[in-house]
Structure formats: structure tokens, C-alpha cells
């Protein structure tokens, strides 16, 4: 059932905005259902632009999964660019779904994917444009149930006033379950909205309804406890984990194909979920446990079906550490065998630097070469021990040498600065490693290859052993970036650093509690939008908002917290739990002392 009048009005406005194709819908493999023929309607609401949202594999997975059930109509909506938002407000038009141009307020359920904390203002934009009260306490039974999941849900407190239920963990089981429960409760009737939300939260260990929890604070501002306000919801929230055969979880083999260019214009196939390694800085390796693997033939057949259903000429094999896939060599050979005759490129992101890197270039001969992307994170062995990322420089250098012999000409390296215990020699090592790879290129092919060292500013994440550590200061991060750039001597080597102000904001939103929520809302009211986009980000507005509301941002992001302190996210119990994280933090402190004594 298409909302023809709204669609016609929007179509007339689209020539006035940038990239109008992102607001039109109707893409290949998009699914339009008659709302009169389904029990319930849900909209996957991605709080960033279409180009990023349509590149997110999880959205395609859930879209395909929910639409495979004839009970539900599952549609999509994305955060509008500023020009389109202005037009919608000027004409008093609602934000709508792409499939049927249905205003967001008319759905039964909205599901936000929290991939990046600095996108949180986009959630408020989408709710407001969709005609839905920002605060959960102000919503009625006529409003959708607003849920959220993804990495950002690991610390749900900053968004607590705005989200009805946070879903912790895997979405393939949790989203259908919540949809079923919510529609059942609506059909039965006779309950208040709050009681219906409590019934869902009380029936599942991984559904967190923040309206039924109240923080209690010490005089110094730290959290004393997070108390339940009703007894029929759980004290602690656990993660939903798919434990069945991973091959039995269907892949989206008919993904929606955008009309416009997106960040990742290719097929994505998740080959493995979880990571066998336990790097101390990495939140994903904690929240994605346990390790689950798809078979080679399942991957190949899903990729082949996706190719036939889309026409893409590139397939990306996704996981946290692709080269740690148990049958990696067999998989690469099989993909090469099937897709090289079709002229389809195989992309291997998230490669671990190990002995397999040396053989990879030979395995994929004949396939179009992009840049080689690797994440050493740090450049010195003692710092690798500290972060628990055990790789060898010899594997990295020999892998690059083989890649250059086989046609690769660019390398991108991901590093972090601002890690606990970081020293000047660690920064020196970043430039030395990049220049060594450029030199290997000259030795191999007769000229320096292009090497980019992309340096991110370390943000300690919830549920990692570093969750008690503080971020580095603005002054340190600026100095580190300038120092790294000043040390480059080879012209083909380039150092880039992630926006420092954006990282500092991420630190506040990642490590904050409910007292940050008013600042988030106020910054949004002052015009903060699309903060993950450099051309839209307004750091001065953010910092002034925090100052006006009396919030000490460094207390949240840069303060080292004692292990005994109650953290804002402690009632969200992810995988191995707090005891494991405490032990890893203690080991980290001991190793840092050894490093300090050695220098």
C-alpha cells in the first residue's frame, strides 16, 4: 500500500536536493508489501545517511530476515542530509520509509542500529521528523515501539530517555522475537504502554528497558547503583547469542541494490562472527563472542546467488579477522576458481598479519587489485604485548613484498595513538614501519609504493579491559599527530589522523551516563546534525553546550576510573563479564610498569 500523495509531493521536491536518488526507494530487490495483508510493520531506521546505511551488512541481513516472514512488512529509513531535512521541515512533511512512503509514526516498531556514537543526534532528527515524541515517557500506544541495538547499545545510558528497549547482542533472534511480542500485546490490548514494554523486558534477559531503572549517585558524582523501579524486569541484562549452526542463519542473497553510489558498492558475505583473539582495546572481540563459522560451500553458494541477483563485480568476505577463518586458503582458492572467470573481484578486509599474508597474493592472482589494507595497530613488540595483538613484523614485510610482486601498489596501515603507556618510540615506530614498506616496494618494483598510515585516536570502550582507562588530552593528540607528520622522510608515505574533536566527543558519548543525555538533546536543538561528517560537524557548539549545562567532559572521557567504581554500563553483562575484564586490566597495569622500567 503506497502513500501516493506523499510520494508525489516528495518527488516534486527532489530536484532541489543533493543526490535525490537516496530518497526515492524502488531499488532492485527492495520489498514492498501491502500493509493490509500483514500483522505488523517495522522500519529499520539507520541513523546516518543512505550511502553509509546501505553499506551496512547488518541492515541487509535484518531486512531480508524480517521480510522472509509473511507476517511482517519491513522497510527502511535513513537520516536525511541537511538540505532535505530543511525541505521536510519547511513543507511540514514527515520522514518516511523508502518502500511505501509511510511516515515513521505509522509503524508498529522502529529499530535503530547504533554503529557510531557521534551519530546519536541523527536519532533525534529522525524521531522528530517522523512525528514521534523524543522521550519515551511522552509516547502513547499510537506511537511505535522504539528499539536500538548494535555496538552502541553496550552502553545504553546516554540514549536512555529516547529509546524504549535496547537489544543487546545478536539481532537475528532478538528482532523477530520482540516484533512478535509487541504485536501480540497490541492485539490483546488492555495494558498501558509501560506495562507492555515491561512485559517484553521481563520475558527476555537481553531486552533492556531503561525507563524502569534509576541511577543513584555518590556525592562525588560517581554511580552508587542502578536500581530497578519495578520488580518484574531483570537486575542485569545479558547478551542475546546465536548458538545454532551458523550455516543455518540465512545470508541475504538478494540484497537491495542502490541506484546511487554508496560507501561500499559491493556484495558482503559474513564468513565468520567473532574473533579468536582477545585484543584489549577491541570492543568487537568481546561482544561478538563466541566464534561462529560458516562452511566454505555455504559462503561460495551465497556469494554466487548474490552475484546473480545483483550484478555486482566485487564480493567482500567479512569478519573481524578474515585470515583467521579456519579454512582460509581453501575459501580463497574456491572463490578465485568460481569468480575469476566472471570478472568478479574478491575483497578481503580485516586481514590479520600472520604467515598467511605471505601466501595471499599468489592465491588471488588474476583478480583486480585494490590497495592492501592491514591493521598492525602498533609498531613495537612490547606495545603489542600490552594490547594483546601478537603479530610479527617479518610477516607484515614479507606479505607486502609478495603483494608488490603480484601487482599491488598501495598499502594502507591502521594504527592507534593515545594508548595506555604510549611512548615517543611507539610513535617513531609507526613512521618507521610505513617507510620500511615503501622501501620494500622500491626494492621489489623499482619505485617507492604509496603507503598511508591512518592513525585513530584511542577511545577506551565499555566492556573492554581498557574501560577503566582515560583518553589522552586534546593537547597530546594534537602533538602526536604533528610529530608523526614531521618525521616522514619519504614522499610516498603519508600520515593521516582522525579528527581529534570528533574523537573527544566520541569519548564523552561512549563513556557517559544519563546525565549526558540533556546535552545531547540540547546540542541537537542548537543545530548539531550528521556529526560523523566533517563538513557538518560543529565541535564548538558541542563544547559550548556541555559548558552551559555544567558538564565536565574530561571527567567522563579522560578520567582514569578505579576498578572498584560502578560504571554506567555495569548492569549490561556482556559475554565473559566484569571479572575477566578486571583480571586483564590488572595484567595490563603490570605490563605497563615493566615497559616503563625498561625505558
Amino acid at each position: 500500500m503506497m502513500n501516493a500523495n506523499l510520494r508525489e509531493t516528495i518527488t516534486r521536491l527532489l530536484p532541489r536536493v543533493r543526490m535525490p536518488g537516496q530518497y526515492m526507494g524502488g531499488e532492485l530487490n527492495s520489498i514492498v508489501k501491502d500493509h493490509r495483508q500483514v500483522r505488523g510493520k517495522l522500519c529499520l531506521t539507520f541513523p546516518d545517511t543512505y550511502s553509509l546505511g546501505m553499506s551496512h551488512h547488518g541492515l541487509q541481513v535484518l531486512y531480508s530476515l524480517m521480510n522472509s516472514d509473511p507476517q511482517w512488512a519491513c522497510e527502511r529509513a535513513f537520516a536525511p542530509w541537511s538540505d532535505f531535512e530543511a525541505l521536510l521541515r519547511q513543507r511540514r512533511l514527515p520522514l518516511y520509509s523508502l518502500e511505501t512512503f509511510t511516515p515513521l509514526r505509522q509503524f508498529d516498531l522502529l529499530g535503530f542500529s547504533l554503529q557510531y556514537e557521534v551519530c546519536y543526534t541523527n536519532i533525534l532528527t529522525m524521531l522528530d521528523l517522523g512525528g514521534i515524541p523524543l522521550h519515551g515517557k511522552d509516547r502513547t500506544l499510537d506511537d511505535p515501539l522504539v528499539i536500538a541495538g548494535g555496538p552502541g547499545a553496550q552502553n545504553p545510558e546516554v540514549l536512555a530517555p529516547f529509546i524504549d528497549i535496547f537489544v543487546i547482542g545478536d539481532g537475528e533472534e532478538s528482532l523477530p522475537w520482540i516484533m512478535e511480542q509487541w504485536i501480540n500485546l497490541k492485539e490483546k490490548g488492555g495494558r498501558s504502554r509501560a506495562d507492555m514494554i515491561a512485559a517484553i523486558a521481563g520475558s527476555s534477559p537481553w531486552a533492556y528497558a531503561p525507563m524502569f531503572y534509576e541511577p543513584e549517585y555518590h556525592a562525588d558524582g560517581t554511580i552508587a547503583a542502578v536500581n530497578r523501579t519495578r520488580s518484574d524486569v531483570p537486575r542485569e541484562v545479558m547478551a542475546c547469542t546465536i548458538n545454532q549452526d551458523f550455516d543455518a542463519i540465512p545470508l541475504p542473497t538478494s540484497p537491495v541494490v542502490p541506484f546511487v553510489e554508496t560507501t561500499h558498492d559491493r556484495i558482503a558475505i559474513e564468513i565468520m562472527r567473532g574473533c579468536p583473539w582477545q585484543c584489549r582495546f577491541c570492543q568487537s572481540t568481546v561482544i561478538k563472542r563466541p566464534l561462529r563459522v560458516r562452511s566454505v560451500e555455504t559462503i561460495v553458494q551465497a556469494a554466487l546467488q548474490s552475484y546473480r541477483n545483483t550484478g555486482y563485480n566485487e564480493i567482500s568476505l567479512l569478519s573481524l579477522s578474515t585470515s583467521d577463518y579456519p579454512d582460509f586458503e581453501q575459501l580463497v582458492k574456491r572463490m578465485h576458481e568460481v569468480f575469476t572467470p566472471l570478472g568478479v573481484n574478491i575483497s578481503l578486509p580485516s586481514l590479520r598479519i600472520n604467515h598467511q599474508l605471505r601466501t595471499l597474493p599468489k592465491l588471488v592472482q588474476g583478480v583486480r587489485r585494490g590497495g592492501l589494507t592491514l591493521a598492525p595497530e602498533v609498531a613495537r613488540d612490547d606495545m603489542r604485548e600490552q594490547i594483546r595483538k601478537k603479530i610479527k613484523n617479518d610477516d607484515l614485510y614479507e606479505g607486502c613484498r609478495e603483494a608488490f610482486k603480484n601487482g599491488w601498489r598501495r598499502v594502507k596501515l591502521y594504527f592507534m595513538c593515545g594508548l595506555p603507556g604510549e611512548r615517543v618510540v611507539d610513535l617513531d615506530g609507526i613512521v618507521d614501519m610505513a617507510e620500511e614498506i615503501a622501501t620494500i616496494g622500491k626494492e621489489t618494483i623499482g619505485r617507492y609504493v604509496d603507503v598511508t598510515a591512518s592513525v585513530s585516536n584511542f577511545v577506551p570502550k565499555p566492556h573492554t579491559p581498557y574501560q577503566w582507562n582515560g583518553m589522552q588530552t586534546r593537547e597530546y593528540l594534537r602533538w602526536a599527530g604533528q610529530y608523526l607528520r614531521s618525521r616522514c622522510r619519504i614522499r610516498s608515505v603519508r600520515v593521516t589522523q582522525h579528527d581529534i574533536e570528533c574523537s573527544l566527543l566520541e569519548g564523552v558519548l561512549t563513556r557517559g551516563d544519563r546525565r549526558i543525555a540533556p546535552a545531547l538533546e540540547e546540542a541537537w536543538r542548537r543545530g548539531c546534525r550528521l556529526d560523523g561528517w566533517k563538513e557538518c560537524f560543529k565541535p564548538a557548539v558541542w563544547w559550548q553546550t556541555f559548558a552551559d549545562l555544567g558538564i565536565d567532559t574530561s571527567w567522563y572521557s579522560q578520567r582514569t576510573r578505579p576498578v572498584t567504581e560502578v560504571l554506567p554500563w555495569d548492569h549490561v553483562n556482556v559475554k565473559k563479564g566484569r571479572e575477566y575484564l578486571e583480571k586483564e586490566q590488572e595484567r595490563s597495569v603490570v605490563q605497563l610498569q615493566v615497559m616503563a622500567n625498561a625505558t
Side-chain angles (χ1 to χ4, degrees), residues 572-588:
V572 178
N573 193 354
V574 174
K575 301 300 169 21
K576 287 194 174 182
R578 203 179 201 271
E579 184 179 350
Y580 163 78
L581 299 177
E582 288 178 5
K583 288 180 180 178
E584 279 299 302
Q585 168 67 358
E586 290 167 6
R587 293 189 184 107
S588 166

mmCIF file with all atom_site columns, all heavy atoms in Angstrom, residues 572-588:
data_model
loop_
_atom_site.group_PDB
_atom_site.id
_atom_site.type_symbol
_atom_site.label_atom_id
_atom_site.label_alt_id
_atom_site.label_comp_id
_atom_site.label_asym_id
_atom_site.label_entity_id
_atom_site.label_seq_id
_atom_site.pdbx_PDB_ins_code
_atom_site.Cartn_x
_atom_site.Cartn_y
_atom_site.Cartn_z
_atom_site.occupancy
_atom_site.B_iso_or_equiv
_atom_site.pdbx_formal_charge
_atom_site.auth_seq_id
_atom_site.auth_comp_id
_atom_site.auth_asym_id
_atom_site.auth_atom_id
_atom_site.pdbx_PDB_model_num
ATOM 1   N N   . VAL A 1 572 ? 24.789 -4.065  32.178 1.00 0.00 ? 572 VAL A N   1
ATOM 2   C CA  . VAL A 1 572 ? 24.753 -4.791  30.910 1.00 0.00 ? 572 VAL A CA  1
ATOM 3   C C   . VAL A 1 572 ? 25.915 -5.768  30.938 1.00 0.00 ? 572 VAL A C   1
ATOM 4   O O   . VAL A 1 572 ? 27.072 -5.380  30.813 1.00 0.00 ? 572 VAL A O   1
ATOM 5   C CB  . VAL A 1 572 ? 24.867 -3.833  29.708 1.00 0.00 ? 572 VAL A CB  1
ATOM 6   C CG1 . VAL A 1 572 ? 24.881 -4.616  28.399 1.00 0.00 ? 572 VAL A CG1 1
ATOM 7   C CG2 . VAL A 1 572 ? 23.726 -2.827  29.711 1.00 0.00 ? 572 VAL A CG2 1
ATOM 8   N N   . ASN A 1 573 ? 25.605 -7.033  31.112 1.00 0.00 ? 573 ASN A N   1
ATOM 9   C CA  . ASN A 1 573 ? 26.636 -8.041  31.359 1.00 0.00 ? 573 ASN A CA  1
ATOM 10  C C   . ASN A 1 573 ? 26.953 -8.757  30.052 1.00 0.00 ? 573 ASN A C   1
ATOM 11  O O   . ASN A 1 573 ? 26.184 -9.607  29.595 1.00 0.00 ? 573 ASN A O   1
ATOM 12  C CB  . ASN A 1 573 ? 26.141 -9.036  32.416 1.00 0.00 ? 573 ASN A CB  1
ATOM 13  C CG  . ASN A 1 573 ? 27.272 -9.905  32.941 1.00 0.00 ? 573 ASN A CG  1
ATOM 14  O OD1 . ASN A 1 573 ? 28.391 -9.847  32.441 1.00 0.00 ? 573 ASN A OD1 1
ATOM 15  N ND2 . ASN A 1 573 ? 26.979 -10.711 33.937 1.00 0.00 ? 573 ASN A ND2 1
ATOM 16  N N   . VAL A 1 574 ? 28.060 -8.401  29.419 1.00 0.00 ? 574 VAL A N   1
ATOM 17  C CA  . VAL A 1 574 ? 28.403 -8.924  28.102 1.00 0.00 ? 574 VAL A CA  1
ATOM 18  C C   . VAL A 1 574 ? 29.410 -10.065 28.210 1.00 0.00 ? 574 VAL A C   1
ATOM 19  O O   . VAL A 1 574 ? 30.493 -9.904  28.783 1.00 0.00 ? 574 VAL A O   1
ATOM 20  C CB  . VAL A 1 574 ? 28.971 -7.801  27.205 1.00 0.00 ? 574 VAL A CB  1
ATOM 21  C CG1 . VAL A 1 574 ? 29.461 -8.369  25.885 1.00 0.00 ? 574 VAL A CG1 1
ATOM 22  C CG2 . VAL A 1 574 ? 27.889 -6.751  26.954 1.00 0.00 ? 574 VAL A CG2 1
ATOM 23  N N   . LYS A 1 575 ? 29.039 -11.207 27.671 1.00 0.00 ? 575 LYS A N   1
ATOM 24  C CA  . LYS A 1 575 ? 29.881 -12.385 27.487 1.00 0.00 ? 575 LYS A CA  1
ATOM 25  C C   . LYS A 1 575 ? 30.693 -12.762 28.734 1.00 0.00 ? 575 LYS A C   1
ATOM 26  O O   . LYS A 1 575 ? 30.123 -13.154 29.727 1.00 0.00 ? 575 LYS A O   1
ATOM 27  C CB  . LYS A 1 575 ? 30.761 -12.198 26.248 1.00 0.00 ? 575 LYS A CB  1
ATOM 28  C CG  . LYS A 1 575 ? 29.957 -11.972 24.973 1.00 0.00 ? 575 LYS A CG  1
ATOM 29  C CD  . LYS A 1 575 ? 29.047 -13.116 24.673 1.00 0.00 ? 575 LYS A CD  1
ATOM 30  C CE  . LYS A 1 575 ? 28.013 -12.926 23.603 1.00 0.00 ? 575 LYS A CE  1
ATOM 31  N NZ  . LYS A 1 575 ? 28.046 -11.979 22.593 1.00 0.00 ? 575 LYS A NZ  1
ATOM 32  N N   . LYS A 1 576 ? 32.001 -12.585 28.743 1.00 0.00 ? 576 LYS A N   1
ATOM 33  C CA  . LYS A 1 576 ? 32.808 -13.128 29.835 1.00 0.00 ? 576 LYS A CA  1
ATOM 34  C C   . LYS A 1 576 ? 32.613 -12.402 31.157 1.00 0.00 ? 576 LYS A C   1
ATOM 35  O O   . LYS A 1 576 ? 32.978 -12.919 32.211 1.00 0.00 ? 576 LYS A O   1
ATOM 36  C CB  . LYS A 1 576 ? 34.296 -13.108 29.453 1.00 0.00 ? 576 LYS A CB  1
ATOM 37  C CG  . LYS A 1 576 ? 34.669 -14.160 28.421 1.00 0.00 ? 576 LYS A CG  1
ATOM 38  C CD  . LYS A 1 576 ? 36.167 -14.321 28.339 1.00 0.00 ? 576 LYS A CD  1
ATOM 39  C CE  . LYS A 1 576 ? 36.541 -15.466 27.423 1.00 0.00 ? 576 LYS A CE  1
ATOM 40  N NZ  . LYS A 1 576 ? 38.008 -15.684 27.368 1.00 0.00 ? 576 LYS A NZ  1
ATOM 41  N N   . GLY A 1 577 ? 32.085 -11.172 31.114 1.00 0.00 ? 577 GLY A N   1
ATOM 42  C CA  . GLY A 1 577 ? 31.744 -10.487 32.347 1.00 0.00 ? 577 GLY A CA  1
ATOM 43  C C   . GLY A 1 577 ? 32.868 -9.655  32.933 1.00 0.00 ? 577 GLY A C   1
ATOM 44  O O   . GLY A 1 577 ? 34.010 -9.639  32.463 1.00 0.00 ? 577 GLY A O   1
ATOM 45  N N   . ARG A 1 578 ? 32.534 -8.967  34.028 1.00 0.00 ? 578 ARG A N   1
ATOM 46  C CA  . ARG A 1 578 ? 33.431 -7.979  34.623 1.00 0.00 ? 578 ARG A CA  1
ATOM 47  C C   . ARG A 1 578 ? 34.682 -8.611  35.227 1.00 0.00 ? 578 ARG A C   1
ATOM 48  O O   . ARG A 1 578 ? 35.771 -8.030  35.177 1.00 0.00 ? 578 ARG A O   1
ATOM 49  C CB  . ARG A 1 578 ? 32.662 -7.203  35.697 1.00 0.00 ? 578 ARG A CB  1
ATOM 50  C CG  . ARG A 1 578 ? 33.238 -5.825  36.015 1.00 0.00 ? 578 ARG A CG  1
ATOM 51  C CD  . ARG A 1 578 ? 32.377 -5.158  37.076 1.00 0.00 ? 578 ARG A CD  1
ATOM 52  N NE  . ARG A 1 578 ? 32.533 -3.717  37.102 1.00 0.00 ? 578 ARG A NE  1
ATOM 53  C CZ  . ARG A 1 578 ? 33.445 -3.075  37.820 1.00 0.00 ? 578 ARG A CZ  1
ATOM 54  N NH1 . ARG A 1 578 ? 34.323 -3.760  38.534 1.00 0.00 ? 578 ARG A NH1 1
ATOM 55  N NH2 . ARG A 1 578 ? 33.496 -1.755  37.810 1.00 0.00 ? 578 ARG A NH2 1
ATOM 56  N N   . GLU A 1 579 ? 34.543 -9.798  35.802 1.00 0.00 ? 579 GLU A N   1
ATOM 57  C CA  . GLU A 1 579 ? 35.688 -10.431 36.467 1.00 0.00 ? 579 GLU A CA  1
ATOM 58  C C   . GLU A 1 579 ? 36.840 -10.655 35.491 1.00 0.00 ? 579 GLU A C   1
ATOM 59  O O   . GLU A 1 579 ? 38.010 -10.379 35.807 1.00 0.00 ? 579 GLU A O   1
ATOM 60  C CB  . GLU A 1 579 ? 35.258 -11.760 37.095 1.00 0.00 ? 579 GLU A CB  1
ATOM 61  C CG  . GLU A 1 579 ? 36.364 -12.447 37.885 1.00 0.00 ? 579 GLU A CG  1
ATOM 62  C CD  . GLU A 1 579 ? 35.903 -13.746 38.511 1.00 0.00 ? 579 GLU A CD  1
ATOM 63  O OE1 . GLU A 1 579 ? 34.685 -14.027 38.487 1.00 0.00 ? 579 GLU A OE1 1
ATOM 64  O OE2 . GLU A 1 579 ? 36.773 -14.487 39.026 1.00 0.00 ? 579 GLU A OE2 1
ATOM 65  N N   . TYR A 1 580 ? 36.524 -11.124 34.302 1.00 0.00 ? 580 TYR A N   1
ATOM 66  C CA  . TYR A 1 580 ? 37.553 -11.332 33.269 1.00 0.00 ? 580 TYR A CA  1
ATOM 67  C C   . TYR A 1 580 ? 38.210 -10.007 32.902 1.00 0.00 ? 580 TYR A C   1
ATOM 68  O O   . TYR A 1 580 ? 39.437 -9.918  32.768 1.00 0.00 ? 580 TYR A O   1
ATOM 69  C CB  . TYR A 1 580 ? 36.924 -11.984 32.042 1.00 0.00 ? 580 TYR A CB  1
ATOM 70  C CG  . TYR A 1 580 ? 37.779 -11.877 30.802 1.00 0.00 ? 580 TYR A CG  1
ATOM 71  C CD1 . TYR A 1 580 ? 38.883 -12.713 30.623 1.00 0.00 ? 580 TYR A CD1 1
ATOM 72  C CD2 . TYR A 1 580 ? 37.500 -10.927 29.823 1.00 0.00 ? 580 TYR A CD2 1
ATOM 73  C CE1 . TYR A 1 580 ? 39.674 -12.609 29.488 1.00 0.00 ? 580 TYR A CE1 1
ATOM 74  C CE2 . TYR A 1 580 ? 38.295 -10.821 28.690 1.00 0.00 ? 580 TYR A CE2 1
ATOM 75  C CZ  . TYR A 1 580 ? 39.374 -11.656 28.523 1.00 0.00 ? 580 TYR A CZ  1
ATOM 76  O OH  . TYR A 1 580 ? 40.169 -11.537 27.412 1.00 0.00 ? 580 TYR A OH  1
ATOM 77  N N   . LEU A 1 581 ? 37.397 -8.958  32.722 1.00 0.00 ? 581 LEU A N   1
ATOM 78  C CA  . LEU A 1 581 ? 37.934 -7.656  32.339 1.00 0.00 ? 581 LEU A CA  1
ATOM 79  C C   . LEU A 1 581 ? 38.850 -7.093  33.425 1.00 0.00 ? 581 LEU A C   1
ATOM 80  O O   . LEU A 1 581 ? 39.881 -6.491  33.130 1.00 0.00 ? 581 LEU A O   1
ATOM 81  C CB  . LEU A 1 581 ? 36.793 -6.680  32.047 1.00 0.00 ? 581 LEU A CB  1
ATOM 82  C CG  . LEU A 1 581 ? 35.841 -7.068  30.899 1.00 0.00 ? 581 LEU A CG  1
ATOM 83  C CD1 . LEU A 1 581 ? 34.724 -6.052  30.782 1.00 0.00 ? 581 LEU A CD1 1
ATOM 84  C CD2 . LEU A 1 581 ? 36.599 -7.190  29.586 1.00 0.00 ? 581 LEU A CD2 1
ATOM 85  N N   . GLU A 1 582 ? 38.473 -7.292  34.687 1.00 0.00 ? 582 GLU A N   1
ATOM 86  C CA  . GLU A 1 582 ? 39.308 -6.818  35.793 1.00 0.00 ? 582 GLU A CA  1
ATOM 87  C C   . GLU A 1 582 ? 40.676 -7.493  35.776 1.00 0.00 ? 582 GLU A C   1
ATOM 88  O O   . GLU A 1 582 ? 41.718 -6.842  35.969 1.00 0.00 ? 582 GLU A O   1
ATOM 89  C CB  . GLU A 1 582 ? 38.609 -7.083  37.128 1.00 0.00 ? 582 GLU A CB  1
ATOM 90  C CG  . GLU A 1 582 ? 37.419 -6.178  37.398 1.00 0.00 ? 582 GLU A CG  1
ATOM 91  C CD  . GLU A 1 582 ? 36.735 -6.506  38.708 1.00 0.00 ? 582 GLU A CD  1
ATOM 92  O OE1 . GLU A 1 582 ? 37.253 -7.378  39.449 1.00 0.00 ? 582 GLU A OE1 1
ATOM 93  O OE2 . GLU A 1 582 ? 35.692 -5.898  38.998 1.00 0.00 ? 582 GLU A OE2 1
ATOM 94  N N   . LYS A 1 583 ? 40.689 -8.796  35.557 1.00 0.00 ? 583 LYS A N   1
ATOM 95  C CA  . LYS A 1 583 ? 41.961 -9.523  35.524 1.00 0.00 ? 583 LYS A CA  1
ATOM 96  C C   . LYS A 1 583 ? 42.850 -9.031  34.381 1.00 0.00 ? 583 LYS A C   1
ATOM 97  O O   . LYS A 1 583 ? 44.065 -8.865  34.549 1.00 0.00 ? 583 LYS A O   1
ATOM 98  C CB  . LYS A 1 583 ? 41.703 -11.021 35.378 1.00 0.00 ? 583 LYS A CB  1
ATOM 99  C CG  . LYS A 1 583 ? 41.136 -11.676 36.642 1.00 0.00 ? 583 LYS A CG  1
ATOM 100 C CD  . LYS A 1 583 ? 40.905 -13.163 36.429 1.00 0.00 ? 583 LYS A CD  1
ATOM 101 C CE  . LYS A 1 583 ? 40.340 -13.815 37.695 1.00 0.00 ? 583 LYS A CE  1
ATOM 102 N NZ  . LYS A 1 583 ? 40.060 -15.257 37.483 1.00 0.00 ? 583 LYS A NZ  1
ATOM 103 N N   . GLU A 1 584 ? 42.237 -8.791  33.216 1.00 0.00 ? 584 GLU A N   1
ATOM 104 C CA  . GLU A 1 584 ? 43.001 -8.296  32.080 1.00 0.00 ? 584 GLU A CA  1
ATOM 105 C C   . GLU A 1 584 ? 43.531 -6.886  32.337 1.00 0.00 ? 584 GLU A C   1
ATOM 106 O O   . GLU A 1 584 ? 44.637 -6.544  31.925 1.00 0.00 ? 584 GLU A O   1
ATOM 107 C CB  . GLU A 1 584 ? 42.139 -8.311  30.811 1.00 0.00 ? 584 GLU A CB  1
ATOM 108 C CG  . GLU A 1 584 ? 42.063 -9.663  30.158 1.00 0.00 ? 584 GLU A CG  1
ATOM 109 C CD  . GLU A 1 584 ? 43.434 -10.165 29.730 1.00 0.00 ? 584 GLU A CD  1
ATOM 110 O OE1 . GLU A 1 584 ? 44.107 -9.469  28.946 1.00 0.00 ? 584 GLU A OE1 1
ATOM 111 O OE2 . GLU A 1 584 ? 43.848 -11.239 30.190 1.00 0.00 ? 584 GLU A OE2 1
ATOM 112 N N   . GLN A 1 585 ? 42.728 -6.062  33.002 1.00 0.00 ? 585 GLN A N   1
ATOM 113 C CA  . GLN A 1 585 ? 43.188 -4.718  33.354 1.00 0.00 ? 585 GLN A CA  1
ATOM 114 C C   . GLN A 1 585 ? 44.372 -4.780  34.318 1.00 0.00 ? 585 GLN A C   1
ATOM 115 O O   . GLN A 1 585 ? 45.356 -4.041  34.175 1.00 0.00 ? 585 GLN A O   1
ATOM 116 C CB  . GLN A 1 585 ? 42.036 -3.922  33.970 1.00 0.00 ? 585 GLN A CB  1
ATOM 117 C CG  . GLN A 1 585 ? 42.431 -2.612  34.644 1.00 0.00 ? 585 GLN A CG  1
ATOM 118 C CD  . GLN A 1 585 ? 42.945 -1.557  33.682 1.00 0.00 ? 585 GLN A CD  1
ATOM 119 O OE1 . GLN A 1 585 ? 43.052 -1.785  32.492 1.00 0.00 ? 585 GLN A OE1 1
ATOM 120 N NE2 . GLN A 1 585 ? 43.283 -0.388  34.187 1.00 0.00 ? 585 GLN A NE2 1
ATOM 121 N N   . GLU A 1 586 ? 44.312 -5.670  35.288 1.00 0.00 ? 586 GLU A N   1
ATOM 122 C CA  . GLU A 1 586 ? 45.414 -5.824  36.244 1.00 0.00 ? 586 GLU A CA  1
ATOM 123 C C   . GLU A 1 586 ? 46.688 -6.280  35.535 1.00 0.00 ? 586 GLU A C   1
ATOM 124 O O   . GLU A 1 586 ? 47.783 -5.784  35.817 1.00 0.00 ? 586 GLU A O   1
ATOM 125 C CB  . GLU A 1 586 ? 45.012 -6.822  37.332 1.00 0.00 ? 586 GLU A CB  1
ATOM 126 C CG  . GLU A 1 586 ? 43.933 -6.287  38.273 1.00 0.00 ? 586 GLU A CG  1
ATOM 127 C CD  . GLU A 1 586 ? 43.330 -7.377  39.144 1.00 0.00 ? 586 GLU A CD  1
ATOM 128 O OE1 . GLU A 1 586 ? 43.832 -8.535  39.087 1.00 0.00 ? 586 GLU A OE1 1
ATOM 129 O OE2 . GLU A 1 586 ? 42.371 -7.093  39.869 1.00 0.00 ? 586 GLU A OE2 1
ATOM 130 N N   . ARG A 1 587 ? 46.562 -7.238  34.620 1.00 0.00 ? 587 ARG A N   1
ATOM 131 C CA  . ARG A 1 587 ? 47.725 -7.688  33.849 1.00 0.00 ? 587 ARG A CA  1
ATOM 132 C C   . ARG A 1 587 ? 48.294 -6.542  33.019 1.00 0.00 ? 587 ARG A C   1
ATOM 133 O O   . ARG A 1 587 ? 49.511 -6.396  32.886 1.00 0.00 ? 587 ARG A O   1
ATOM 134 C CB  . ARG A 1 587 ? 47.331 -8.848  32.936 1.00 0.00 ? 587 ARG A CB  1
ATOM 135 C CG  . ARG A 1 587 ? 46.944 -10.128 33.666 1.00 0.00 ? 587 ARG A CG  1
ATOM 136 C CD  . ARG A 1 587 ? 46.775 -11.271 32.675 1.00 0.00 ? 587 ARG A CD  1
ATOM 137 N NE  . ARG A 1 587 ? 46.311 -12.484 33.344 1.00 0.00 ? 587 ARG A NE  1
ATOM 138 C CZ  . ARG A 1 587 ? 45.074 -12.979 33.235 1.00 0.00 ? 587 ARG A CZ  1
ATOM 139 N NH1 . ARG A 1 587 ? 44.190 -12.366 32.474 1.00 0.00 ? 587 ARG A NH1 1
ATOM 140 N NH2 . ARG A 1 587 ? 44.738 -14.080 33.860 1.00 0.00 ? 587 ARG A NH2 1
ATOM 141 N N   . SER A 1 588 ? 47.411 -5.737  32.465 1.00 0.00 ? 588 SER A N   1
ATOM 142 C CA  . SER A 1 588 ? 47.842 -4.592  31.664 1.00 0.00 ? 588 SER A CA  1
ATOM 143 C C   . SER A 1 588 ? 48.673 -3.626  32.499 1.00 0.00 ? 588 SER A C   1
ATOM 144 O O   . SER A 1 588 ? 49.720 -3.141  32.045 1.00 0.00 ? 588 SER A O   1
ATOM 145 C CB  . SER A 1 588 ? 46.610 -3.873  31.097 1.00 0.00 ? 588 SER A CB  1
ATOM 146 O OG  . SER A 1 588 ? 46.946 -2.598  30.603 1.00 0.00 ? 588 SER A OG  1
#
